[in-house]
Amino acid sequence: MRNKEELLFLGTGHATVTECYNTSFILRSSDDILLVDGGGGNGILRQMKQAEVSVSDLSGIFVTHAHTDHILGVVWVLRIIGEEVGQGTYSGNCKVCGVSLVLDSLKCLCRHTMSPAVWRNVEHAVGFVEADDAQGIRIGQNMEIRPFEVSCNPVVQFGFKAFLQSGKTVACLGDVPCPEHLFSRLMGMDWLLCEAFCLDRDKEIFKPYAIGHETVLDAARTARRLNVKNLVLYHTEDAMLHKRKKEYTEEAGKEFQGNVYVPDDLEKITLI
Ligand SMILES: [Zn+2]
């Protein structure tokens, strides 16, 4: 397990997909394991089980924003932590990071949907850390994330830059296009994780711009402008999953000459 650095995708779809799980992934650097978003529900538990990741393995959870398809799965992860604390089987040390709206929403959901004893266990076992633009957050022993705001409309949303033990850098943009003001801060990253709602040629079918998303071609243009080495595309439609990897990779290659990854659910990407 030493020096293993990888992305493990628990889900890759947008909010209302039915053929795959919503966007949720794990960023791992040795034993430092960060869960980013939880998808929209109890399905996170199945995905984690299949990926052989337990709640005790998690060093941190970063929630980009308080939309259903990102936050509700985290409620389930916290519930399992609370139950395992009660059973004496939880051995983790996890902090939950997000902006105040995210943390307030999570606490409210947990308080109203868990038994008081389980919620008390969660509060006892888990640290809640408010993310802001000003300071980095340590995840586990050797990972640091530096959050930044990517959007404030219709809901405040944060992404982050992660600095791994090996020195590699990973940027996550949540589920919105990269705003202009962030370009100078994200230039030359090793890895960029970017939403791509659909192929550019299908934009009249899926209408990504009407709901604050962008196309594969748009994301590839961003990756080229940022001069990143590797681009990962996620948060997609699910109408063409069987050919998504091939067709998205081909379209992205028209604008971006670096490596393009279009993971399936439960796919691991080794960080090179
Ligand atoms: Zn979303």
Side-chain angles (χ1 to χ4, degrees):
M1 207 64 81
R2 291 206 76 71
N3 298 325
K4 183 178 186 179
E5 294 189 327
E6 67 183 18
L7 290 163
L8 165 54
F9 277 83
L10 300 174
T12 55
H14 68 54
T16 59
V17 291
T18 54
E19 304 301 318
C20 60
Y21 191 59
N22 315 119
T23 300
S24 169
F25 67 90
I26 280 170
L27 172 60
R28 163 180 243 151
S29 176
S30 295
D31 292 329
D32 302 333
I33 298 181
L34 176 68
L35 171 66
V36 181
D37 290 335
N42 170 284
I44 186 72
L45 304 181
R46 181 172 187 273
Q47 298 306 92
M48 287 178 67
K49 183 177 179 184
Q50 299 222 7
E52 298 181 337
V53 176
S54 76
V55 293
S56 290
D57 292 333
L58 301 177
S59 317
I61 303 171
F62 185 90
V63 188
T64 58
H65 61 299
H67 278 166
T68 48
D69 57 319
H70 298 261
I71 198 170
L72 293 184
V74 178
V75 174
W76 282 96
V77 172
L78 294 179
R79 174 172 167 171
I80 299 303
I81 289 176
E83 290 184 4
E84 291 195 1
V85 169
Q87 294 155 3
T89 55
Y90 179 68
S91 59
N93 182 14
C94 182
K95 58 180 75 163
V96 180
C97 316
V99 294
S100 57
L101 175 65
V102 163
L103 299 185
D104 290 347
S105 302
L106 263 180
K107 289 175 183 174
C108 182
L109 284 163
C110 289
R111 225 178 270 123
H112 291 290
T113 59
M114 290 178 192
S115 77
V118 170
W119 171 235
R120 265 198 306 278
N121 290 344
V122 174
E123 284 191 299
H124 184 71
V126 168
F128 289 87
V129 179
E130 190 170 333
D132 60 42
D133 249 319
Q135 55 193 349
I137 301 171
R138 178 76 53 191
I139 302 294
Q141 296 300 310
N142 296 298
M143 190 191 300
E144 185 188 342
I145 59 170
R146 293 187 199 153
F148 50 75
E149 184 176 302
V150 284
S151 175
C152 59
N153 184 25
V155 66
V156 62
Q157 174 158 186
F158 266 52
F160 62 84
K161 283 202 284 193
F163 298 82
L164 308 186
Q165 190 176 4
S166 63
K168 291 188 194 80
T169 51
V170 180
C172 166
L173 291 169
D175 78 354
V176 290
C178 186
E180 280 295 326
H181 74 268
L182 282 178
F183 272 74
S184 59
R185 287 174 65 174
L186 298 179
M187 204 59 76
M189 302 288 292
D190 294 313
W191 290 81
L192 178 70
L193 286 83
C194 203
E195 63 99 9
F197 201 76
C198 63
L199 291 171
D200 201 70
R201 67 158 194 256
D202 291 338
K203 62 184 177 228
E204 294 310 317
I205 301 170
F206 296 106
K207 303 192 183 326
Y209 304 135
I211 46 174
H213 297 307
E214 65 182 354
T215 70
V216 171
L217 209 58
D218 297 326
R221 252 180 228 127
T222 297
R224 176 167 52 78
R225 285 182 61 196
L226 287 174
N227 197 26
V228 300
K229 296 184 182 76
N230 302 282
L231 172 66
V232 182
L233 301 175
Y234 61 14
H235 203 272
T236 81
E237 48 81 21
D238 63 345
M240 51 176 290
L241 280 188
H242 60 292
K243 52 183 180 177
R244 179 178 64 174
K245 190 184 287 286
K246 179 173 180 291
E247 300 217 355
Y248 278 40
T249 303
E250 282 175 5
E251 186 172 288
K254 292 177 185 169
E255 284 284 349
F256 176 62
Q257 300 310 308
N259 301 314
V260 177
Y261 298 82
V262 186
D264 294 319
D265 286 16
L266 297 174
E267 184 171 334
K268 283 179 184 169
I269 299 172
T270 300
L271 298 180
I272 51 176

